[in-house]
Amino acid sequence: MNKHNIAGPTKVRWAEACTIVLWMASVTPSFAAAVCNPDEAAPGVSATEIKLGATMPLTGSAAATGLGAAAGAKAYYTMINKAGGVKGRQINFKVLDDQYSPAVAQQQMRTLVQRDEIFAVAGGEGTPNFLAVVPFLQREKVPAIAPYSPASQLGTMKTPYVFMTSVDYITEFQIMARYVIDTYKPKKISLVGVQGNVGDDAKKGIEQAIGSGGTTLQYIPEVPGTPDFTPIATQLRENNADWTFLILTDTDTGQLLQAMHRIGYSPRTAAWAGMDDKNYIKPFGDVSQGMIVAQETAAINSPDPLVKQFVEQFTKETGRAPGTFEELGWAQAEITVKALQEAKALTRSCLMAALESMSDFQTGIVPPIAFGPDRRQGVNAIGLVEIKGEDTPQVTPFTEVQSQ
Amino acid sequence: MPEVEPLSSMGGEGRLELRQIGVSFGGVAAVRDVSLVFRPHVITGLVGPNGAGKTTLLNAISGFASVERGTIELDRSELTKLPAAQRAHYGVVRGFQTVRLLEGETAFDNILVGCERASQPNIFAQLFNLPAQRRSWRRDRGAAAEIAERLGISSVAHRPVAELPFATRRLVELARILVVRPKVLLLDEPAAGLNAHGRRQLTETLQAYHAVSPFTMIVIEHDVDLVRRMCSECVALAQGSVIATGDPGHVLDDPEVRRAYFGDQVHHA
Amino acid sequence: MFSSANAIQVTLGGLATGSLYAVILFGIILVFQVSRSINFAYGPTGMLGTFASYALYSEFGLPVWFAVLIGIGVTVLIAALTDLLIIRRLPPQQGFDVVVTLGELLFLTALAQLVFGASAQSYLKLLTDVPVLSRNIFVNGNDVLAVVLGVAVAIGGYFVLNSTSLGVSLRAAAADPSVAQSVGINVRGLRTAAWAVSGVFVAVGAMMFAARLSVNAFYMTPIVINVFIAGMIGGLDRYWPPMLSAFGIALYQSWAMYLFGEAGGVPALFILVIVILAAVPKRLLDERHEARA
């Protein structure tokens, strides 16, 4: 069995799941390989439709990410439905707003599963909000496909109903820090991260990359929504690290960099995967030049034919160009539809069996996906890009980088 | 006594004419078809039993009650549809039946509020403390100090009104009303709650002020002696209608008026 | 271990933030003292004016000063309409203003998200790119402007409320509308004017904060929370205590974040509130209006 760090890029937002111990205790401790049973009851499947659902932040400070992912997924399903759907059935995809709040996510997921009777959870966006619903999904035995919720608790057989396609922050920051240390040999690194699991995982990843090397690490946990970044910028300037790693909301990242710039401190920077989105670069590009950004999805302007096809199809469906989160949502939908198509029958056990047999599935958008009877982490690689002007040219392509 | 400089810029003598005034509350007529002329500078007593419509009539004149029928004119300017604040700028000023002061302020600041009836500099002059603002602020504070002196309340001017005895609070309210010379002054039982000495003092103060700076005054009072002492005209109301007008002696001695409406409510100083 | 340069840097940053808190708080005090209402939509009102100025500048290419003026005008209009269309029509029972303005907060935030999107936008510079000091201590034009505005509003506001006819009218209209009317004060007009003028202060504060941070549909929420805390600590019925609290909590929070880490800023503020509540409970329990505040 591969020893995987649980992977899954997540959109960094609010507080971590502070009930980790309880949460871990509540999930299924062991699971045998899925056996397809075509005769079992299949909620959400009728002769004409397949009901899928997800909760995402559609309002609040994380709304940009959820709205984007929802739009991407919906565009894909619309395209599939126009071509006849899956197994002759139209996909009915419902997204409910969880406001990036664990409590609201729990409520909304109950609505989707118990009232709307969805067949499976398709996608999702955000870590603390998704983690809050995992115990419920495990109890109800509802498969969840490709949520964007990087967390080390997911992607193992402890959560067998959740099929992860995004790298967790430990791996993401380990790969990124390894590259920076090998290439630039910094004496000091600072990390500013959202307080809790998210920041802690990033810190672990950097520490793993440093290993027994001489680079020192300063870690400053942050709470989203501060109106004054001068104190934290001053702390960073005082430490005077060569590199500052960041895992904050995109707004807070930009505002912190502006504050650092204003007090005359401009180190090289590296940040989690959300920073290569045009909605970040447009307002904050001037203070982010040279930033190394983890890449979980292919660049929108990638020459990869599959990516070009996505851009063309998305633009045709919606009349506008896609951004990073639309790309993510599209990939989530594509993986879901692939599993539905491969399933021998439209029951949950058959869906899970189909997912387990997914091997080297290429979307072009994320690295090739492979699950297995004892493997729930479908992707374990990232790439790196650098912000230059308004573009993000590749530094290391994602298909070639593996976790160490 | 030095004359208080009139701050009101409205012309006219203070001739108040009411024509067929009708006021109702919830379908019940509180004032019916009242037509009266209050001559300039004359102090008129308004008498009648409880519920006669005296306070309602004062509210109608000052704009605190809506008039259903009829017109109110002051020196030929129609006031009927004007809001209370605008009538105050015309010079129609009132006291309230229970003393109403700004409880969180000092006596001096309560008097200063009365200066709002005078013309004030524009907003820019005020915000940027231009000469016009400084002049008018000095003028208002001077007038407030002077009226406080005249009414004998200078010594307590900077104390919070909440700490002052009732009679002094009444004088503070009076000072607020008189700091800018009114054209028509409406008083509703100004002597209520005062002892004999207080009543005499109040009467003398009002008469002295009136002698120097005359204005039209309408005063509701149950104290018959006060009405006789202070007023040169008198109007009796009953059930919302006028039942007698004339000099106080004539109205108050009318046996029918006395029997029907005063009964044992007659007070003597 | 910290240097004096860093200490001054942190203090100046806190002072600039506190100055802007004071500017915004003045509008809250004005509305509360005149109409005994708390406007929970205050923050989003300023946010919309800021977004409007951003759009006028970046989409339509209007000059900065003109875009800013129109943005302030938008905020003034929303604030005035809040009184004219909503607050004036409320029944006199206490608490309706809270509920209704909370609803307005949600509506305005959703409207901003719909029209301007959910992403943050980098706002006008407003002198953030003009260095005033730049050796060991970095001060820019926006910091200086913030402090100038804060001090000017604090002192000027006190002067207006206590030494002008306007101030006398405002206090009278707040204390007893009937008395105020009897001396010629147009109480309703004055109240709407106070709401409108409060819009100027939240607009200026919101724009200055946007220049230092960024503008999005939600950025004013944590700012206005801190401003309301300052008002609560000082008492919205007073003047200097809440205004000085605005400066004070920004400095306090700035230092707490610097000394205990950025994540220490919010808990430090709440510890302060609890300590003050414990030490001076009467302030918040005696008077209904202040308890509501």
Side-chain angles (χ1 to χ4, degrees), chain A residues 182-201:
Chain A
D182 286 348
T183 313
Y184 296 96
K185 306 198 189 328
K187 290 202 179 61
K188 289 188 196 176
I189 291 177
S190 291
L191 167 67
V192 186
V194 172
Q195 187 181 25
N197 273 8
V198 166
D200 290 346
D201 281 357

Side-chain angles (χ1 to χ4, degrees), chain B residues 89 102 105 109 112-113 115-117 120 126 137, chain C residues 33-34 160-161 164-177 179-181 183-187 190-191:
Chain B
H89 284 291
L102 308 180
E105 307 279 351
D109 285 343
L112 204 57
V113 166
C115 295
E116 291 308 301
R117 284 200 297 114
Q120 298 293 341
Q126 293 191 49
W137 189 246
Chain C
Q33 291 194 1
V34 170
V160 168
L161 289 177
T164 62
S165 155
L166 177 62
V168 170
S169 300
L170 287 167
R171 281 156 40 214
D176 192 329
V179 166
Q181 280 179 293
V183 297
I185 296 169
N186 178 354
V187 172
L190 193 62
R191 217 174 52 185

Side-chain angles (χ1 to χ4, degrees), chain C residues 11-21 142-144 146-147 209 212 250:
Chain C
T11 302
L12 288 176
L15 191 61
T17 300
S19 299
L20 295 178
Y21 285 171
N142 187 281
D143 294 327
V144 174
V147 174
F209 268 116
R212 304 161 70 78

Side-chain angles (χ1 to χ4, degrees), chain A residues 293-311:
Chain A
V293 182
Q295 186 194 36
E296 297 153 344
T297 53
I300 303 284
N301 59 4
S302 164
D304 185 320
L306 288 173
V307 177
K308 282 168 121 71
Q309 186 183 58
F310 147 67
V311 172

